[in-house]
Structure formats: structure tokens, C-alpha cells
Amino acid sequence: MATEVKLFRSWSSRYALRIVWALKLKGVEFEAIFEDLSNKSSLLLQYNPVHKKVPVLVHNGKPVCESLVILEYVDETWNGAHPLLPKDPFAKAEARFWAKFSDDKLMPLIRKATLGNGEEKEEARVLTAENLKHVEELLKGKKFFGGEKIGYVDLAFGWMAYLINVLEEVSGATLIKKEEFPLLSKWMENFYEFPEFKESWPDHDRLITKFKNYG
Amino acid sequence: MNLKIHSTLTTTITASQITPRVRKEKGQFSVKEPIFVTMGDQEVKLFAAWSSSFSKRVEIALKMKGINYKYVAESLSNKSPELLRYNPVHKKVPVVIHNGKPICESLVILEYIDEIWKSGPSILPEDPHARAMARFWVSFIDEKCSPAIKRIYRSQGEEREKAVQDATEHLETLENELRGKKFFGGDEIGLVDLSATFIALWLGVLLELAGVELLTKEKFPRLCEWIDIYLNCSIVKETLPAREDLLDHLRSLRRPAK
């Protein structure tokens, strides 16, 4: 049976990148369709009428939306190569917990701490440092969050490996100091330098311009 | 952190994997050694609050599966040290403790319950695409629907008008999703129905307190029908608080209007 995999993405979407990484790790061939988010294609709107966003994975004509949902779908469908989630239900629950933490707690805080204003920015910086401690703790004795291999939680936190530097540069704030977060800093390096992901990183300068315009 | 320490201590195996020899020696195991137990021996605790729709999702699921659990009532304004120890990151309910290990976040708990207790009704479908759709709708309810309703309740004037617009749009999306189905999960209650518990009860209460009429039978016939059916399921009925109690409680928490 011929399988067809399409991924609707944009040049900078951190959520779409998760799927790019997952598909690469699993050795799944796919067609990347780059969307201009200011001028969305009718196909994208057809495949994701509810949110009208990227990423959308279309597998044999059926769309899957929302990056963490897509990651689980990819893991369940291509379950031979490179498992993303652990087998053990409790470890799986922990992985899901931390992925939600990345999106629901950490990302909004880091956004406020770098792109926010005044008091809110300072408050967010303090909370970011507190919450990053949990992430640092997770890496004790491990190279990746997934252990020896990159896993679901690594892909969930992957945005940090390239965006933290950008946000720090744009805002002039330092969120992750090597001395304070040695394991996390090392993880960011390892993830960024992972050979299979070398071609995936969005252009740094273009990102700087994008986030400078957020102010 | 407790989460990591406990994950290496115990192994869960099914009854069919226990050999007679292990069963005989069971009584001799000390507390510190790995304990081989059957599903029924594992202790389940639920830290919950009666007024939290997230807590209720999990309670309904536990009952659906016929799982014995110990209910630990939490007061949201005065959380126990135990809860804070088990959920240091969010300090929230619900938390389920299984074999001494905490699982936090209601959706994570629901998936965990479905994976561990395979007998009884399924919370999620088997097919990967169907599972993805269920998870999608749950995300939609939690990230779009419920926040819009809460925004109606908490805001006034222009902000409220915008929130009503958003909520209407989102509820229309859900209305369409119910086409041809008794429950979001099809013929049986599933993950999406459990996640929509907020819509079944909390939504109506919050809108009443806000003095906003939105969820009418004329505008949302399927959704209203779903609410009736869902609330009348015996397990849901016996688990959810009485509407009047929730109304009084939320009313008492209200900040005075500006």
C-alpha cells in the first residue's frame, strides 16, 4: 500500500519542527508544504478548518492537527523505528506531563520574560528561573530527556534549542546561564548539533527580525 | 523529586504472569523489594476538589472502569502538604496516586487509566487516527471553548462581547462535531465526553451567573441533547455536584463588579 505523507508547515513554526524531527528520526519520507501564514492556502484551511494553523500532517489523505497530537499519531503509526514515547505507562504519563508543561507553562513564561513589558516581564523572569529548575532536574544522569536517544519530551522542548538564543538576543535578557543550568545548556547544544537535524534550523537572522517586530 | 524516585521501584504485571511460586512467596516480600501484584491489589488515591471539572473528569473515568480508589478531598483555598508534595510543579488537582506514584494533569491521568485498566469500557479508541481526533477535540475544548466561557464570566463590555462571539463560534464547531452521534465518542462515552464535563454543567452555571444566554435548544439542539443524555448517565449523575450547589459556590467566590 503506497503511503503518502504531507506536512503543512511554515519556515519558522516551532510546532511544525517537532514533526519534521519526528519524521526524520523515524525515517519517514514526507512532502513539506511551506505555508505563508499571512496568506494561507485553501488546502490548509480545508485540512484544518477549526484552527487554520500549521502544522498539519496529512497521511493518506487524512489530516491530523495539533503538534503534540501529531507526535503521538506518528509514534503509534510508525511504531517500528525509533519509539518516541516510553512503553511503560507511568513513564509515558510523565513524558506527556512534561510536554504539556513545555507548552502550557514554560513557553508563555519565556515569552513574557523576553517579549513582555515592565513588571510583567520581571515577574516572568523569576518564574521562568523557578520552572527551569524542574527541567534541569529532569536531565540528571541523562543525555536527552528520552535517555540515550531523543524522545517525545526532547521534541517537545526542542524549540528551546534554537529559540532561547534568539529571544535572549532580541530582549537583552539572559534566561539560561551555563553555570545555573549546566545540564539544560548541554542538552540544548546536543540537540542543536544532532546530525539529523542540521538542516532543520530556521535562519537565525530572519528569526531575530521576526521577534524584533513583536514589540 | 518524587516522580523520578518512585518510577524504578515497582513493576506492574498482570495476574496471568504471576507463577504459583511467586504467589506463595508473596507474603515474605518486604516493603522495599519489588512487589508483584495483580490489578486489584494496587492502591489508587485521587486528590480532588468537588467544584473542579477537571477533578470530576477523572472521578467519572475511575468509576467507569470500576476502579476502587480512595478519595482525598482538597480545598482549593487551603491545599494539603501531601498534594503540594505530589504535584510540586502545578500544585493543582486532580492528582492520582497509583502504587505510590503520582500522575498529574487530568488528560494525562485519563490516558494512564485507559492504558493500565484494560478491562471495562475504553476511554480512547484503538485506531491511531481516531485517537488523534479524540485528542484534537479535547485540546479544542480545553484551549478554546472553556477559556472563552470563562472569559464571558470574568469580563464586561466590549471584552465580554468578543468573548461571547468566540464562545458561540466554538460551540457551533462542537455542535457540528456531534452530527450523527449520541456522544462525542460515538455510542459510548469517551475521552472527549469526559473532557466536555465542563460544558455539561459548569458552562450553564457560569453563564447564568453572568446573565448571558447562549446555549439555547434552538441554536444548539445537538449540544443541548448531549448535555441532557450525559448528565443523566448514572455514573455522571452520581459523581457531579448538584447544579444548585455549584451555583451557590461559584456565586460566593464572585468578586464584586467594578
Side-chain angles (χ1 to χ4, degrees), chain B residues 27-208:
Chain B
Q28 294 163 24
F29 286 173
S30 73
V31 169
K32 290 225 173 90
E33 287 173 32
I35 299 167
F36 298 98
V37 294
T38 62
M39 294 303 172
D41 291 358
Q42 297 156 349
E43 197 201 56
V44 178
K45 253 189 194 174
L46 168 66
F47 287 78
W50 72 269
S51 60
S52 153
S53 66
F54 300 104
S55 289
K56 289 303 174 185
R57 289 174 176 177
V58 172
E59 223 186 320
I60 295 169
L62 289 169
K63 289 193 178 162
M64 256 173 74
K65 294 274 198 181
I67 299 164
N68 285 322
Y69 62 97
K70 180 178 169 197
Y71 185 92
V72 180
E74 284 287 330
S75 157
L76 297 181
S77 53
N78 186 18
K79 294 170 183 175
S80 74
E82 237 190 328
L83 175 67
L84 301 181
R85 184 165 51 93
Y86 281 128
N87 191 357
V89 174
H90 299 298
K91 307 174 176 53
K92 285 182 176 174
V93 290
V95 178
V96 160
I97 316 294
H98 182 218
N99 291 336
K101 295 183 282 187
I103 303 114
C104 309
E105 294 291 284
S106 64
L107 300 177
V108 177
I109 297 171
L110 292 178
E111 296 234 22
Y112 178 83
I113 287 173
D114 208 32
E115 279 164 38
I116 297 275
W117 286 275
K118 293 222 184 279
S119 65
S122 290
I123 294 175
L124 277 139
E126 290 283 316
D127 169 66
H129 191 263
R131 290 161 78 82
M133 288 314 296
R135 289 172 178 142
F136 172 86
W137 287 113
V138 162
S139 167
F140 176 75
I141 288 168
D142 277 1
E143 284 161 34
K144 295 276 177 187
C145 281
S146 306
I149 302 292
K150 289 174 186 169
R151 265 201 319 274
I152 295 177
Y153 177 69
R154 288 179 182 146
S155 64
Q156 287 170 2
E158 238 183 79
E159 210 193 315
R160 178 177 273 198
E161 267 175 50
K162 177 74 173 61
V164 169
Q165 252 180 357
D166 290 343
T168 305
E169 198 184 300
H170 300 325
L171 291 176
E172 276 165 6
T173 302
L174 284 186
E175 174 78 13
N176 286 334
E177 183 52 25
L178 276 170
R179 198 173 294 155
K181 295 201 280 194
K182 181 179 179 189
F183 295 109
F184 288 102
D187 292 328
E188 309 284 342
I189 288 178
L191 184 74
V192 184
D193 303 276
L194 293 172
S195 305
T197 301
F198 176 90
I199 294 173
L201 186 62
W202 277 255
L203 181 152
V205 171
L206 288 176
L207 291 182
E208 184 179 320

Side-chain angles (χ1 to χ4, degrees), chain A residues 48 50-53 62-66 69 72-73 76-77 87-90 92-94 96-98 100-101 104-105 131 134 137-142, chain B residues 1 3-4 6-7 87-90 101-105 107-108 111-112 115-116 126-129 131-133 135-137 139-140 142-144 169 173:
Chain A
N48 191 357
V50 175
H51 298 297
K52 308 173 174 57
K53 284 183 174 175
K62 292 202 278 190
V64 183
C65 310
E66 297 292 286
V69 176
E72 295 228 27
Y73 175 82
E76 283 170 29
T77 303
K87 270 215 171 81
D88 171 64
F90 183 74
K92 208 186 273 192
E94 280 190 307
R96 287 176 174 142
F97 174 90
W98 289 111
K100 286 185 111 266
F101 172 84
D104 296 347
K105 197 136 201 201
N131 280 283
H134 297 304
E137 179 84 19
L138 278 183
L139 284 166
K140 282 217 168 91
K142 297 205 279 194
Chain B
M1 214 171 138
L3 281 168
K4 281 191 74 170
H6 283 113
S7 63
N87 191 357
V89 174
H90 299 298
K101 295 183 282 187
I103 303 114
C104 309
E105 294 291 284
L107 300 177
V108 177
E111 296 234 22
Y112 178 83
E115 279 164 38
I116 297 275
E126 290 283 316
D127 169 66
H129 191 263
R131 290 161 78 82
M133 288 314 296
R135 289 172 178 142
F136 172 86
W137 287 113
S139 167
F140 176 75
D142 277 1
E143 284 161 34
K144 295 276 177 187
E169 198 184 300
T173 302

Side-chain angles (χ1 to χ4, degrees), chain A residues 14 25 46 49 66 88 101 123 136 184-185 199 212:
Chain A
R14 71 198 77 168
L25 288 171
Q46 181 199 315
E66 297 292 286
D88 171 64
F101 172 84
E123 212 180 274
E136 178 79 9
L184 185 53
S185 302
E199 317 266 292
K212 275 205 167 122

Side-chain angles (χ1 to χ4, degrees), chain A residues 14-23 25-26 55 57 64-78 82-85 99 103 151-158, chain B residues 132 135:
Chain A
R14 71 198 77 168
Y15 302 104
L17 270 177
R18 289 171 170 170
I19 317 305
V20 171
W21 297 327
L23 293 172
L25 288 171
K26 296 231 180 218
L57 183 81
V64 183
C65 310
E66 297 292 286
S67 65
L68 295 180
V69 176
I70 301 172
L71 282 183
E72 295 228 27
Y73 175 82
V74 167
D75 206 29
E76 283 170 29
T77 303
W78 290 279
H82 202 120
L84 299 175
L85 278 163
D103 287 3
Y152 181 79
V153 178
D154 298 275
L155 298 186
F157 281 128
Chain B
R135 289 172 178 142

